[in-house]
Amino acid sequence: MSLSPIILFVYNRPWHTQQTVEALQKNELAAESDLFIFADGPKSDASEECLANISKIRNYIHDIDGFKSITIEESPENKGLANSVIAGVTKIINQFGKVIVVEDDIVTHPFFLRFMNEALETYNHNKNIYTIGGTSINIEIPPSYSYDVFIAPRVESWGWATWKDRWSTANWDISSYPIIKNPTKKRIKQICKGGDDFWPMLKSQMKGTVDSWAVRWQYNMIENDGMCLFPTNSFISNIGFDSTGTNCGAGSVPLRPIYNGNKSFNYTFVKDIAPNRQIIKNIQDYYRSHSTSFPHIIYNKTKHILFKVLRFFK
């Protein structure tokens, strides 16, 4: 099996970055994998604290070891997360044909790289599968569903992987999307197969209130009738829900239980996998009840404000 390169995107969170790197170093295939680190630069109005953190990050990443090779690219100016991911993934995937991607707040299970590489190998020729996620929201898996993986029309963007031929189909210019020009009910229903919250997110991207590569990647996947492959158990934890990250406020998102195998990897991949209607319905129900309901929005905003107040008085 040819191992995929790993891409890590970092910016100004030293503690988060260290947790992410240390977890990756503990992965079974780390020493055999090439690591590419893209470090974003400071904004024009960056605070002294931000500049200091960026400096800490850059000092830290130059001392990393434990991988087959480490390549670092430091941007002199701030590209923003979306532009960094699009440019960085495109560069490396054009060279290697596939990538595994993590951001600086993702703590991986020791078998995360094993899962991703085996999934990339198994589903390389299944053009219906556009991307692979390292986790899933904590939906109920039907007792009758006996497989270790499932597919759904919803992108997972925290720890993920894909192939060059899928990535190259993406159109990042949202203004050219047919649904933006003509948002009919039929089109909106079609792109919201993975959750009713997607149309509001797409509109926010268009307005510029959100800058997300994942929203556009999701749209392109749906337009090409693609699916994301998910594990029934999580191989990552997200430590970024503390108001320090891009597009993440305070709080948390419940994920499927962490994979409990620490000594041996025993995951079964189904080559001819088909979507399970009940699982997709459970995903749709989750986002309908959690992401778009008024009480949930108020709850998240309140937690975000309280978190900022508590940090101020520390």
Side-chain angles (χ1 to χ4, degrees):
M1 178 173 61
S2 171
L3 296 185
S4 170
I6 309 161
I7 302 178
L8 170 62
F9 292 97
V10 301
Y11 176 39
N12 68 344
R13 298 190 286 178
W15 179 83
H16 297 76
T17 298
Q18 184 175 349
Q19 308 311 305
T20 298
V21 169
E22 289 179 355
L24 276 174
Q25 288 171 323
K26 295 175 184 176
N27 263 254
E28 179 190 19
L29 299 176
E32 304 166 52
S33 303
D34 297 303
L35 175 64
F36 294 84
I37 304 176
F38 289 88
D40 204 3
K43 297 177 181 179
S44 58
D45 60 348
S47 66
E48 290 299 322
E49 180 183 7
C50 180
L51 292 172
N53 284 334
I54 290 174
S55 179
K56 288 179 183 178
I57 289 285
R58 297 191 174 193
N59 289 333
Y60 173 72
I61 60 179
H62 282 280
D63 288 333
I64 293 173
D65 58 15
F67 299 89
K68 181 181 178 182
S69 70
I70 300 173
T71 304
I72 298 171
E73 186 171 308
E74 298 174 345
S75 175
E77 69 278 330
N78 187 266
K79 294 180 178 179
L81 180 59
N83 288 334
S84 294
V85 170
I86 293 168
V89 170
T90 300
K91 179 177 181 178
I92 304 306
I93 209 168
N94 283 342
Q95 181 179 351
F96 291 90
K98 56 185 176 180
V99 290
I100 297 170
V101 185
V102 293
E103 294 173 20
D104 61 359
D105 54 7
I106 302 302
V107 174
T108 55
H109 185 282
F111 287 135
F112 168 76
L113 294 179
R114 170 69 68 182
F115 170 78
M116 286 295 184
N117 277 289
E118 291 197 10
L120 283 167
E121 183 81 10
T122 302
Y123 300 103
N124 180 30
H125 300 294
N126 187 338
K127 306 305 180 182
N128 184 50
I129 297 177
Y130 248 58
T131 183
I132 299 162
T135 186
S136 165
I137 55 171
N138 194 20
I139 57 165
E140 180 181 351
I141 303 296
S144 60
Y145 192 82
S146 58
Y147 304 132
D148 291 329
V149 291
F150 62 90
I151 58 175
R154 181 87 188 193
V155 159
E156 169 53 53
S157 60
W158 290 344
W160 58 282
T162 192
W163 304 264
K164 178 182 177 181
D165 59 349
R166 279 73 146 183
W167 184 256
S168 62
T169 66
N171 175 8
W172 304 107
D173 178 16
I174 193 171
S175 64
S176 67
Y177 294 177
I179 193 170
I180 298 298
K181 297 178 179 179
N182 185 21
T184 64
K185 288 184 178 180
K186 183 179 179 180
R187 278 179 171 159
I188 293 172
K189 183 178 180 181
Q190 170 69 14
I191 67 162
C192 288
K193 292 189 294 185
D196 290 342
D197 60 323
F198 183 65
W199 174 235
M201 287 194 294
L202 194 61
K203 288 195 294 184
S204 296
Q205 175 72 36
M206 184 61 191
K207 293 176 183 176
T209 55
V210 167
D211 185 22
S212 170
W213 65 270
V215 168
R216 288 171 279 175
W217 181 227
Q218 165 89 6
Y219 176 82
N220 281 279
M221 184 183 77
I222 296 297
E223 283 290 278
N224 287 281
D225 296 320
M227 292 276 183
C228 179
L229 182 90
F230 297 90
T232 54
N233 290 97
S234 292
F235 288 92
I236 67 166
S237 299
N238 189 313
I239 58 173
F241 284 92
D242 55 3
S243 296
T244 63
T246 302
N247 299 327
C248 273
S252 63
V253 174
L255 303 177
R256 290 287 302 162
I258 295 291
Y259 180 66
N260 60 9
N262 291 315
K263 294 184 178 180
S264 62
F265 182 76
N266 185 24
Y267 234 66
T268 302
F269 295 97
V270 185
K271 284 193 174 182
D272 298 322
I273 191 167
N276 180 278
R277 290 184 179 181
Q278 186 59 54
I279 289 178
I280 292 177
K281 182 181 183 300
N282 291 347
I283 291 174
Q284 293 169 339
D285 289 346
Y286 173 88
Y287 284 108
R288 185 175 297 116
S289 63
H290 287 74
S291 299
T292 60
S293 67
F294 181 74
H296 187 74
I297 292 171
I298 296 299
Y299 171 76
N300 274 342
K301 285 184 178 294
T302 302
K303 286 187 73 174
H304 183 70
I305 293 169
L306 285 174
F307 184 86
K308 283 191 170 183
V309 170
L310 289 172
R311 288 190 69 184
F312 178 79
F313 284 106
K314 277 187 176 181

